Amino acid sequence: MAKAKKKEEKVVLKRKRADNINLFNIGLSYGDVLYFCKDSKIICTVKSENTVYFRGEELTLTEAVRKTGIIKQKEIQGPKYWLYDNKSLVQIRKE
């Protein structure tokens, strides 16, 4: 019984994953330029509702963050690192 209780506690501690962001639903359009929050010289452009062009490749926002080589975390929330109008995409989605 003690093992079952510990297993339940672990499940409760996991954070809920945010839904995938839809770039068009938050007001962005094909071709809009996004800036990387750690270095504004690093940019990508909106390709579809959930992908961007980055360094010649079509990628998700998270894949693009990883390709910068700057963020070393294992779990990355891509929209947190890309800015549009000086706001992160997470901020824009909350507005």
Side-chain angles (χ1 to χ4, degrees):
M1 224 189 235
K3 284 185 181 181
K5 190 171 184 176
K6 283 185 180 182
K7 199 172 196 177
E8 285 178 40
E9 288 175 7
K10 285 182 183 179
V11 172
V12 172
L13 294 177
K14 279 191 171 185
R15 290 190 307 180
K16 183 181 180 266
R17 185 182 178 280
D19 292 334
N20 289 340
I21 196 165
N22 181 315
L23 299 172
F24 297 155
N25 285 348
I26 65 168
L28 299 179
S29 301
Y30 177 84
D32 281 345
V33 177
L34 306 178
Y35 297 87
F36 189 60
C37 69
K38 303 288 184 182
D39 182 348
S40 63
K41 293 176 188 161
I42 299 173
I43 62 169
C44 64
T45 56
V46 175
K47 163 66 175 157
S48 73
E49 64 188 25
N50 60 2
T51 62
V52 294
Y53 276 130
F54 181 69
R55 297 180 178 164
E57 294 182 84
E58 185 175 352
L59 305 167
T60 66
L61 293 166
T62 299
E63 291 169 334
V65 170
R66 286 193 179 108
K67 290 271 185 174
T68 67
I70 295 172
I71 306 299
K72 304 296 184 191
Q73 295 169 218
K74 184 178 179 179
E75 293 181 21
I76 296 173
Q77 184 183 8
K80 180 175 148 183
Y81 295 95
W82 294 102
L83 307 176
Y84 183 77
D85 266 351
N86 292 318
K87 295 179 188 173
S88 77
L89 300 183
V90 171
Q91 287 174 303
I92 293 170
R93 176 167 51 180
K94 288 180 181 178
E95 293 179 346

